[in-house]
Amino acid sequence: MEKNQKREYQTTHLSALLHDIGTFYLLSEGKRPEETEALKNDSFQNHFLKSLSILLSKEESETVLSYICKQRQTDTSDFVSIARQLSLGFDNDESLNNKECDPCSERLLSVFQQISLGNHSPSNAFTHRLAQFSTERDDIFPHENQKSESSINRYKSLWDKFENEIDGLPTNKLSTYITALYYLLLKYTWCVPSAIGAKGQDISLFDHLKTTAAIAGCLAVKKMSNETDNEEFLILGGDVSGIQSFIYKITNVQGAGGISKRLRGRSFYLVMLQEVIVQYLLRSFSIEIPHILYSGGGRFNLLLPNTKDTRENIKKLSSQINKWLLDKFDGELGLVFASKRAGTNDLKDYSGLLNDIDDKLAVAKKEKYKEFFENGYFWLERAVSNEDIRICRSCNTKSVPKGENNEICSLCEEHKKIGSNLPQNKLSYIAFLSQPNDIVQGTRILFNEFGCIYLLSNKQYLETYKELPETLNIYKINETSGIFKLIGNTVPVATETFSIGEDSDDEDKTVKEKNVLSFEIMANASIGDKRLGVLKMDIDHLGLLFSVGTEVDCSGKKSMSRLATLSRSIDLFFAGYLDVICKKAFLQWKEDSDNSWPHKEKVTQIFYTVYSGGDDLMITGPWSEIPNLAREIRREFKEYTCGNKDIDISAGIFLCKPKYPVSLAAKAASEELEKSKNGKTDQLEGRKCITLFGDTVKWQNNDRVNLDELFEFGEYLYRNIMNEDSRLRLPRGFVHGLLRIHKQYTEGQNLNFIPAVLYQLTRNIKDKAIRDELKRQLITCANKEVFFKHIRIPASYALLKSRKGE
């Protein structure tokens, strides 16, 4: 793109990004969105004019300002007007605002309550508070039946803060200004509805502005290309394939330790790899950040102008990036692209375009590296050495010189170093640079010609940020001011040095102050048996929620801006709010009366987020706390999604000894998750389930036994096993006997289990009250067959929790 073309694109893009900001201002003044005369006052315009006059020419500034002040009339040839309608999915602006209602009393509707797969009736009962973007529960969770009193003061407060900050945006470079403005708009307009009292009130103003800017930018570039076809847009989907296999390939190395750090570091490295690739693509296509429609979990979607240059560039970039991935990771990781051309009418059904992209990506993943098959270097070993070599003892992939560095490859060592720097006391900022800079402090991660990043503590940032003129972006980690990035970053760190063994040099049993806990120490924090729990969860029917669930009763339901709001809201829960849930579960563990771990005041956490973002997660921690964490995540997720019956999450939990191979533990947890999603339980279809202790059960079920009831019974068994009064104590042998009977009588399907249980009760339980209660729970209650069918969950829980761990 030529320099003058880039300026024309950026001017159009910025005009679209700010075209409806006047609505925010008018609401703060208690006026309707149509009362645009109020936008002509100097106090409103000057906040934008100051920066625009520095960044743009006078003519360009006037163009952008005319959109900000809504002085442009709707014109079918105007890119911003066209983009506005395409973003919302409507053919015109009629019915976008209800003139009967008080605009200042209306709130942003939760997008989740509008989704239906047939079991949920869409409603307008849940709305969001007017609050700055954050990860605080009250700010981001929808609230039911909020009072409809006028919110002028709330809008005014938000606008005043927005005004104060917009004056401080960087004006050294237009692209930098647009990026900073993008995050400022997210901070203050995520909770503002894009329409009042009608269609679009569940679409945030931020997502509307973002997608409008991307669409308008594409239209401008397409016109400058002088290409005359009617397909102005190109949706580019990308998938970094091989991620899960790559993460879990590391193993516990005797004498080396640090597997938890390497695992977390490797997961974080992949998050940054995706981020670096996406930013490199933006620079290569000469487009701005709003063109990223989605990015997370190894997947991304970009909205690009459909030009010959764009299509040729995609091929070059695919070859360039994959050649580096092939050399760096020996074929374990690869980037596949899939694209779909679209015209203006096609864009109104954005979810349909995403379905096509998904189908194409599924095919492309099976043909990874196909473009290199005819090249000789693809089939030959590229690193030739005359030295004796071994395979890395950690990843079992890279070759290393025999006897050097404990035979651990440089990549695994780099990941361990990254994992050591991830705790919040060591990582405050991530600086993205186009090339390395020796002045910069912090941990450096190189990504070849695609860029590099530096992990900076707060001190390192303050000492070096002024020396970074070539910095692309500096992200604050898990903050919501400036340019920021939310990353699931729950990491257990020691506040002082301690050991769980006699050998203080054993890295798996000793942790130094401010260092990450090993899996051995995390398992040692369990109540009862010393095992590690591995939890995997993801959203049920996610594809259907985006494609079918948004088809309710009007054509705008599948619009780009609505799906942008939906995907951003989902990612916020997993990448942002999950840390809050983990902190709550950690505090509950500390206060548990059964918790006698001597080091509980010396740690900041007990859970370790291996990855979390997009729509799924993997967390490790003490086995005794992982089931409770899973229940808490699901409970919070249901509240976050307005209790929608069609939106749920499934989970799989695998328990193992701390030295059990990570790859096998992750695979086993994945298999448990698959049982929850694809198996059947109690003659009901899968999903909305959790699988643990080898059994699958519904989270909630009004007609049959559910998880909470099973854990309540498990706690009852545990309390009685631990009873200090020998006359009231429940023998562990009795609980083991229940498991034997369960197995003997086909998991409770054979009713002959009843006399067998009665016999065990009579023989082993002396106290009549306990015997009668167990009889009621196991035999005479209405759900006796189903309850006993799932006895593995409460019985296994009670036995493991009451076991004296070493």
Side-chain angles (χ1 to χ4, degrees), residues 508-570:
D508 285 336
K509 294 191 176 183
T510 301
V511 61
K512 295 181 180 179
E513 182 183 358
K514 296 183 180 180
N515 279 10
V516 179
L517 307 189
S518 67
F519 285 156
E520 192 93 18
I521 294 175
M522 276 189 274
N524 190 260
S526 297
I527 299 174
D529 198 24
K530 305 307 178 186
R531 298 194 185 202
L532 198 67
V534 182
L535 168 67
K536 298 192 77 172
M537 304 179 79
D538 74 9
I539 296 178
D540 297 328
H541 298 301
L542 184 66
L544 286 176
L545 295 178
F546 274 82
S547 59
V548 178
T550 51
E551 280 186 323
V552 183
D553 58 3
C554 71
S555 60
K557 286 295 180 180
K558 299 171 77 171
S559 69
M560 182 181 290
S561 56
R562 176 171 281 106
L563 294 185
T565 296
L566 178 58
S567 60
R568 179 183 53 77
S569 299
I570 290 173

Side-chain angles (χ1 to χ4, degrees), residues 5 10 35 62 72 84 106 114 134 144 180 188 251 284 299 335 355 377 401 432 446 497 502 509 556 578-579 588 617:
Q5 291 179 324
Q10 288 180 319
E35 299 180 66
E62 289 176 351
R72 294 263 175 154
R84 167 183 168 77
E106 297 298 317
Q114 305 298 321
S134 76
E144 187 174 11
Y188 289 108
T251 57
S284 299
R299 282 286 305 271
L335 176 65
N355 287 338
Y377 74 86
F432 286 80
L446 295 174
T497 301
E502 296 180 359
K509 294 191 176 183
L578 186 69
D579 284 350
Q588 290 174 345
L617 62 88

Side-chain angles (χ1 to χ4, degrees), residues 364-389:
K365 289 170 74 172
K366 296 177 182 179
E367 300 175 345
K368 184 173 68 173
Y369 289 129
K370 181 181 178 181
E371 59 189 305
F372 299 110
F373 285 0
E374 294 181 0
N375 296 329
Y377 74 86
F378 179 81
W379 304 101
L380 299 176
E381 179 67 44
R382 289 174 291 284
V384 179
S385 174
N386 293 324
E387 299 178 308
D388 288 339
I389 61 171

Side-chain angles (χ1 to χ4, degrees), residues 689-739:
C689 295
I690 179 172
T691 300
L692 69 165
F693 301 117
D695 196 9
T696 302
V697 67
K698 292 285 184 183
W699 296 104
Q700 290 179 319
N701 194 325
N702 294 330
D703 300 322
R704 294 168 182 262
V705 68
N706 60 47
L707 184 67
D708 288 341
E709 292 172 331
L710 292 171
F711 265 89
E712 184 179 340
F713 185 52
E715 275 294 321
Y716 176 80
L717 294 175
Y718 167 71
R719 296 293 168 199
N720 282 285
I721 290 173
M722 301 301 291
N723 199 317
E724 295 181 358
D725 189 337
S726 59
R727 295 172 301 173
L728 302 177
R729 189 179 305 140
L730 186 68
R732 284 172 55 87
F734 169 76
V735 182
H736 278 294
L738 293 178
L739 292 175

Side-chain angles (χ1 to χ4, degrees), residues 219-375:
L219 291 171
V221 174
K222 182 68 174 182
K223 181 181 179 182
M224 288 185 283
S225 73
N226 294 318
E227 297 176 21
T228 57
D229 62 271
N230 293 323
E231 294 178 318
E232 299 91 342
F233 309 99
L234 190 145
I235 312 291
L236 178 66
D239 191 315
V240 182
S241 64
I243 284 180
Q244 299 227 3
S245 175
F246 179 76
I247 291 177
Y248 306 136
K249 211 158 193 177
I250 61 173
T251 57
N252 198 8
V253 181
Q254 188 172 2
I259 187 171
S260 61
K261 297 174 186 176
R262 290 200 299 274
L263 181 64
R264 184 67 183 100
R266 179 164 285 215
S267 175
F268 180 83
Y269 179 91
L270 290 173
V271 173
M272 292 298 101
L273 171 64
Q274 176 178 335
E275 190 73 25
V276 167
I277 288 175
V278 169
Q279 289 203 16
Y280 184 72
L281 292 175
L282 293 182
R283 298 198 301 277
S284 299
F285 292 119
S286 297
I287 55 177
E288 304 295 347
I289 190 172
H291 287 266
I292 305 173
L293 301 179
Y294 174 77
S295 180
R299 282 286 305 271
F300 58 85
N301 294 316
L302 306 181
L303 182 66
L304 306 176
N306 178 32
T307 65
K308 181 181 177 181
D309 287 345
T310 298
R311 296 190 296 273
E312 290 178 351
N313 209 0
I314 289 173
K315 293 179 181 178
K316 293 177 183 177
L317 290 166
S318 175
S319 179
Q320 178 192 16
I321 295 170
N322 275 306
K323 187 177 185 305
W324 174 71
L325 291 173
L326 182 61
D327 292 340
K328 179 77 172 178
F329 304 105
D330 301 308
E332 287 195 271
L333 295 176
L335 176 65
V336 295
F337 283 142
S339 62
K340 175 73 176 179
R341 303 182 194 187
T344 53
N345 286 328
D346 302 320
L347 214 61
K348 295 173 185 177
D349 183 13
Y350 178 57
S351 65
L353 296 173
L354 290 183
N355 287 338
D356 291 341
I357 291 291
D358 289 342
D359 292 341
K360 289 185 175 184
L361 282 173
V363 174
K365 289 170 74 172
K366 296 177 182 179
E367 300 175 345
K368 184 173 68 173
Y369 289 129
K370 181 181 178 181
E371 59 189 305
F372 299 110
F373 285 0
E374 294 181 0
N375 296 329

Side-chain angles (χ1 to χ4, degrees), residues 95-121:
S95 302
L96 280 182
N97 291 298
N98 184 347
K99 297 181 180 181
E100 300 296 324
C101 67
D102 173 12
C104 295
S105 66
E106 297 298 317
R107 308 285 182 87
L108 177 68
L109 300 175
S110 172
V111 69
F112 293 113
Q113 68 189 322
Q114 305 298 321
I115 293 173
S116 177
L117 296 178
N119 298 311
H120 169 74
S121 298

Side-chain angles (χ1 to χ4, degrees), residues 131-140 187 190 480 486 572:
Q132 293 177 206
F133 186 84
S134 76
T135 56
E136 294 297 322
R137 193 181 196 281
D138 282 347
D139 291 342
I140 62 174
K187 182 177 179 179
W190 77 273
T480 53
L486 299 179
L572 172 59

